[in-house]
């Protein structure tokens, strides 16, 4: 982990562990070049034992401006910032830190991007199924549950156990659950190229697709690769499907607007 070795005016980056090929590096670097901004965009692959050092770097280096945040630090760094934007408050996690007047401010542009991606679908559904309650799944559920109080939430998770009104928790997906009209949100890494074992996998079993009620919609946060097994099966069974490319692009653009708006 290299911190602060630059002649540039600003230091920006993305922090996480592990980090494979974050799109933020390319998007932010392209923006710097186009806008002629004197800033680096660094990949900070910080193991847990070094996160305290990274927090100190953010607070004390005068050139530090902002960092995008990947897993597993979206909640860890939530507890470090002094202020939160409305998306981060509801989501109870952050994916962006901006330093302004020596204060660290937390934002959640992931949730902004996700909500923008599904905002036209949300009024159509009373039932929302969220598959996977990892970092993004929890954040998206927290936001939706707080914001949309007229909906019922069905969470598919082997570990999440918090009991709430309007919420049912299942250890696995069932054909009975799929037989009602749902907005289905995949927040698992299944289908992504993050690991070999995820590729050619789907969060919904192939033999379950024929049970999905017509009029249901699937939102998949996976953006790489573009054509996952879930997307192929959705097309085969003529189900409405959208992947996470728009979400990912919108969150990066939103982050740049926040950091470099005057």
């Amino acid at each position: 982990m290299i911190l602060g070795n630059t002649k540039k005016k600003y230091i920006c980056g993305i922090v996480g562990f592990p980090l494979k090929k974050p799109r933020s590096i390319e998007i932010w670097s392209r923006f710097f070049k186009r806008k002629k901004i004197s800033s680096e965009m660094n990949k900070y692959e910080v193991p847990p034992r070094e996160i305290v050092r990274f927090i100190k770097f953010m607070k004390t280096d005068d050139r530090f401006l902002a960092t995008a945040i990947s897993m597993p630090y979206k909640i860890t760094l939530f507890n470090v910032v002094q202020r939160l934007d409305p998306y981060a408050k509801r989501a109870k996690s952050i994916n962006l830190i901006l330093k302004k007047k020596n204060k660290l401010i937390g934002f959640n542009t992931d949730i902004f991007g996700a909500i923008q991606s599904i905002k036209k679908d949300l009024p159509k559904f009373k039932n929302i199924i969220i598959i996977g309650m990892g970092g993004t799944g929890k954040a998206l559920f927290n936001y939706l549950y707080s914001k949309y109080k007229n909906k019922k939430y069905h969470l598919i998770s082997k570990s999440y156990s918090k009991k709430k009104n309007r919420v049912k928790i299942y250890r696995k997906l069932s054909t009975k659950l799929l037989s009602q009209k749902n907005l289905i949100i995949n927040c698992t890494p299944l289908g992504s190229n993050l690991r070999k074992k995820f590729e050619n996998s789907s969060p919904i079993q192939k033999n379950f697709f024929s049970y999905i009620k017509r009029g249901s919609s699937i939102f998949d946060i996976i953006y790489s690769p573009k054509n996952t097994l879930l997307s192929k099966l959705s097309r085969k069974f003529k189900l409405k499907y959208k992947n996470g490319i728009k979400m990912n692009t919108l969150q990066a653009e939103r982050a740049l607007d926040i950091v470099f708006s005057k």
Side-chain angles (χ1 to χ4, degrees):
M1 179 179 64
I2 299 172
L3 303 178
N5 290 343
T6 180
K7 294 180 180 179
K8 301 284 188 180
K9 183 178 179 181
Y10 299 118
I11 299 172
C12 296
I14 177 168
V15 59
F17 188 83
L19 284 175
K20 193 173 182 182
K21 292 180 180 178
R23 289 183 78 224
S24 297
I25 298 282
E26 180 185 344
I27 293 170
W28 285 49
S29 297
R30 217 167 40 228
F31 180 85
F32 296 157
K33 187 175 180 180
R34 189 172 71 248
K35 297 290 185 179
K36 296 181 180 178
I37 295 170
S38 177
S39 179
E40 283 188 355
M41 182 61 180
N42 298 310
K43 178 180 174 181
Y44 293 121
E45 198 162 26
V46 180
R49 67 179 180 274
E50 294 188 27
I51 193 61
V52 172
R53 182 182 167 210
F54 184 80
I55 292 168
K56 184 179 179 181
F57 154 69
M58 289 192 296
K59 289 180 176 180
T60 59
D61 195 307
D62 291 338
R63 294 165 299 167
F64 173 79
L65 179 61
T67 186
I69 303 163
S70 186
M71 294 302 293
Y73 298 125
K74 294 183 178 184
I75 295 176
T76 302
L77 295 179
F78 175 86
N79 297 310
V80 170
V81 299
Q82 283 93 12
R83 282 168 47 198
L84 296 164
D85 84 323
Y87 285 94
K89 276 184 183 178
R90 289 186 184 273
K92 299 178 183 177
S93 76
I94 60 175
N95 76 319
L96 174 72
I97 287 179
L98 168 67
K99 186 159 81 171
K100 196 170 184 179
K101 295 180 181 178
N102 288 320
K103 286 189 176 180
L104 298 179
I105 307 169
F107 301 83
N108 201 314
T109 64
D110 271 344
I111 301 306
F112 167 82
I115 297 302
Q116 290 299 307
S117 297
I118 61 175
K119 66 179 181 180
K120 290 182 180 178
D121 294 317
L122 283 168
K124 302 174 187 176
F125 298 96
K126 288 184 179 179
N127 295 300
I128 297 177
I129 297 174
I130 299 178
I131 307 173
M133 291 296 287
T136 302
K138 281 182 186 175
L140 187 54
F141 165 68
N142 287 339
Y143 182 89
L144 290 169
Y145 183 81
S146 172
K147 183 79 172 176
Y148 298 92
K149 300 183 184 296
N150 62 332
K151 300 189 184 298
K152 293 180 180 178
Y153 298 89
H154 305 272
L155 311 180
I156 315 301
S157 173
K158 292 180 180 179
S159 57
Y160 189 84
S161 59
K162 289 184 181 179
K163 293 183 179 180
K164 293 184 178 184
N165 292 330
R166 300 180 286 118
V167 178
K168 289 187 177 180
I169 303 168
Y170 310 82
R171 295 298 170 235
K172 58 183 180 179
L173 202 55
S174 68
T175 55
K176 183 180 179 181
L177 186 56
L178 292 172
S179 65
Q180 56 189 350
K181 188 178 174 182
N182 299 297
L183 172 58
I184 304 166
I185 304 175
N186 174 42
C187 291
T188 76
L190 296 178
S192 75
N193 54 15
L194 289 172
R195 293 184 188 174
K196 198 83 173 175
K197 67 178 182 179
F198 297 152
E199 297 176 13
N200 300 315
S201 298
S202 169
I204 303 173
Q205 293 175 230
K206 185 177 180 180
N207 61 331
F208 279 16
F209 275 81
S210 59
Y211 293 91
I212 298 176
K213 189 174 181 66
R214 295 293 165 247
S216 294
S217 183
I218 298 174
F219 173 53
D220 186 5
I221 69 165
I222 303 299
Y223 62 85
S224 180
K226 184 178 179 180
N227 292 310
T228 62
L229 180 58
L230 179 58
S231 71
K232 293 172 185 175
L233 289 169
S234 297
R235 285 196 298 271
K236 180 180 178 180
F237 286 87
K238 298 179 180 179
L239 295 166
K240 186 177 179 183
Y241 169 91
K242 63 180 69 173
N243 63 20
I245 291 176
K246 181 178 179 181
M247 170 185 167
N248 187 260
T249 302
L250 285 174
Q251 71 83 15
E253 291 175 349
R254 174 66 175 160
L256 288 167
D257 285 343
I258 289 167
V259 175
F260 293 100
S261 63
K262 294 184 179 179

